[in-house]
Amino acid sequence: MQIDVANPMFKQPSQGKGERRGLDPLAIADDEVPESEYKRVATPQVFLGAQDEWTDGKAYEALLASDEEWEKARARVAGKRKIPEEEVEAGEIEAFLRDKAGMPYSAWYRAAWRERVTFDTERALYGALIPPGTSHVHAVRSGRITSPHLTVLTAGFMAALPVDYLLRTAGVGHLDVTQARRLPAPQSGHPLAPALLLRTLRLNALTTAYADLWADLYDPKWPAYEPWAITWPGMRTDLHAVTPIWQRDTPLRTEYARRAALVEIDALVAVWLGIDADTLIVMYRARFPVLQGYDDVTSFDANERKIAARRDTYGFDQTKDHWTQFQAYLDASDSNPVPDGYTAPFYKANREREMREAHAYFKKRLDEAVAKGLWDPEKMEVPTP
């Protein structure tokens, strides 16, 4: 399985190297399990035992707070070292309990990204959220931040144009874990965190494998306070129409809605990082020629289907004939019908305008939070009472 920007199920091996569109989110089954070209030959016990273990912070804190677990750990350490229990130091007990609270890395929800950074494609950084049970080879890296909340926010940052721009200007060709730690990082208490969390989850949580994460991070304020940042012409999908339990329509599935969420993330993260709208536009113009080329020839119909001129960015189920029909329709809509399978009216993509409008929305929202004393923009933290 190949990941894409905020899409953990982009393309299957069986689709072949020539397939550019990947899997249609509208066609993915609720319980879909991605294909793999690799098979595990070791037993599950050996396979999991060979993986790095990451500490469960909550479990570790609970173990540290338990007198019973503390004494058990003291006895185990003393027995292993063959020394009296009173000679066991606190640091040894803490280390033992930390190991006890560990789980194989594949047991966690993680932010994953392609290790290779390429500059001649639509985006250079391809990152997504992957669920427990997923493992990968060297071509992909993954990480878990201190909490599921921060892990999702980090995946959101990885989907943003400003972070992609940073890698392009720095000339980073390979993004290993060490380099990834140097990327801009989100803060869980930021006023824009709920907005980024919702958009990132709705883009990534494509199957029931994400149901637990969705339930854990669901914010009851979303339905009332998290609409689209801008008015997307003809958009039928409501961003904030979500429920506490994962459902079929929890993930954004149409091409129009998914692109809208990504554009809004671009603007949101720019505001978060203190990048003004003009600079965001300059970033887009200067370093994203392929993305610009795609935007210039992309439109969406009333059912949120994409239609484009270039084969590299065709919509799902689109053919060359569809574009020929669309051009004829645009030239003379009174005498030529809309392309087969599409429904008028159409919306022409305009990323610069869209990002400016979304930037203004999130900037106003952040400024209001700062004015109310909910955020310190200098220290980048919630002010201490």
Side-chain angles (χ1 to χ4, degrees):
M1 171 58 66
Q2 189 177 72
I3 61 175
D4 197 49
V5 179
N7 184 350
M9 300 185 70
F10 170 54
K11 192 166 69 172
Q12 306 258 44
S14 62
Q15 292 182 285
K17 294 182 179 180
E19 173 55 51
R20 309 223 175 208
R21 286 169 285 193
L23 297 172
D24 184 351
L26 285 167
I28 293 176
D30 290 358
D31 59 351
E32 187 91 27
V33 176
E35 297 175 3
S36 174
E37 292 184 302
Y38 299 91
K39 291 185 178 181
R40 187 187 69 220
V41 295
T43 64
Q45 183 178 7
V46 172
F47 182 73
L48 295 175
Q51 294 182 8
D52 290 342
E53 291 204 345
W54 295 349
T55 303
D56 183 334
K58 290 183 179 179
Y60 180 49
E61 290 177 3
L63 290 173
L64 289 177
S66 170
D67 292 338
E68 180 181 356
E69 291 293 342
W70 191 270
E71 292 307 316
K72 286 182 180 179
R74 183 189 302 275
R76 290 288 299 275
V77 173
K80 185 176 181 179
R81 292 188 57 198
K82 298 181 180 180
I83 60 174
E85 291 187 12
E86 57 268 21
E87 293 184 13
V88 177
E89 297 181 359
E92 294 177 286
I93 296 175
E94 292 171 355
F96 179 88
L97 294 178
R98 186 181 298 109
D99 288 342
K100 186 174 181 178
M103 293 196 298
Y105 83 85
S106 63
W108 302 94
Y109 287 102
R110 287 158 286 150
W113 62 93
R114 298 187 200 177
E115 189 269 349
R116 185 75 173 92
V117 179
T118 55
F119 307 118
D120 59 349
T121 54
E122 181 179 5
R123 298 294 282 263
L125 176 59
Y126 292 87
L129 283 170
I130 56 176
T134 306
S135 56
H136 53 75
V137 294
H138 185 76
V140 172
R141 294 288 189 270
S142 65
R144 168 185 175 269
I145 320 304
T146 53
S147 68
H149 187 264
L150 273 174
T151 299
V152 174
L153 293 180
T154 299
F157 262 50
M158 285 187 164
L161 186 145
V163 178
D164 195 304
Y165 175 86
L166 173 62
L167 293 177
R168 289 171 184 260
T169 55
V172 177
H174 297 271
L175 189 63
D176 210 334
V177 175
T178 301
Q179 289 88 349
R181 288 196 178 105
R182 299 171 184 165
L183 295 177
Q187 303 84 21
S188 60
H190 196 281
L192 299 181
L196 180 58
L197 192 74
L198 175 61
R199 288 162 177 79
T200 305
L201 282 173
R202 293 205 68 185
L203 285 166
N204 285 273
L206 290 171
T207 69
T208 53
Y210 297 86
D212 290 343
L213 183 66
W214 176 265
D216 182 36
L217 298 180
Y218 177 83
D219 188 339
K221 294 181 181 179
W222 281 340
Y225 296 102
E226 287 299 343
W228 291 109
I230 70 176
T231 299
W232 292 94
M235 179 70 73
R236 296 183 178 182
T237 301
D238 290 325
L239 180 68
H240 60 295
V242 291
T243 60
I245 306 300
W246 188 97
Q247 300 183 48
R248 173 71 186 172
D249 59 358
T250 294
L252 298 171
R253 296 188 184 276
T254 68
E255 294 162 291
Y256 189 19
R258 292 186 65 83
R259 179 183 176 278
L262 287 171
V263 170
E264 293 195 357
I265 285 176
D266 291 342
L268 186 159
V269 173
V271 172
W272 193 313
L273 296 176
I275 299 169
D276 62 44
D278 287 340
T279 302
L280 177 61
I281 300 304
V282 169
M283 289 177 170
Y284 170 63
R285 292 176 179 175
R287 294 284 180 167
F288 295 86
V290 177
L291 181 59
Q292 291 175 58
Y294 289 171
D295 286 334
D296 289 343
V297 296
T298 294
S299 296
F300 300 89
D301 81 343
N303 292 320
E304 303 180 19
R305 289 186 63 193
K306 181 169 77 169
I307 186 168
R310 297 175 57 174
R311 181 178 179 274
D312 289 354
T313 189
Y314 276 0
F316 291 110
D317 298 323
Q318 182 194 335
T319 65
K320 182 178 180 180
D321 288 342
H322 285 131
W323 181 254
T324 301
Q325 294 169 6
F326 185 53
Q327 286 184 304
Y329 170 77
L330 293 179
D331 291 340
S333 59
D334 293 339
S335 56
N336 294 306
V338 297
D340 296 336
Y342 291 83
T343 304
F346 292 87
Y347 167 69
K348 172 67 175 63
N350 186 336
R351 188 177 292 264
E352 291 191 15
R353 177 187 60 77
E354 296 158 358
M355 289 196 299
R356 284 190 182 277
E357 291 183 11
H359 190 284
Y361 172 88
F362 290 120
K363 182 66 165 60
K364 179 182 178 182
R365 183 165 165 175
L366 178 58
D367 288 346
E368 290 174 349
V370 171
K372 293 177 181 178
L374 301 176
W375 185 251
D376 185 332
E378 296 298 327
K379 296 182 178 179
M380 294 293 284
E381 62 182 29
V382 177
T384 304

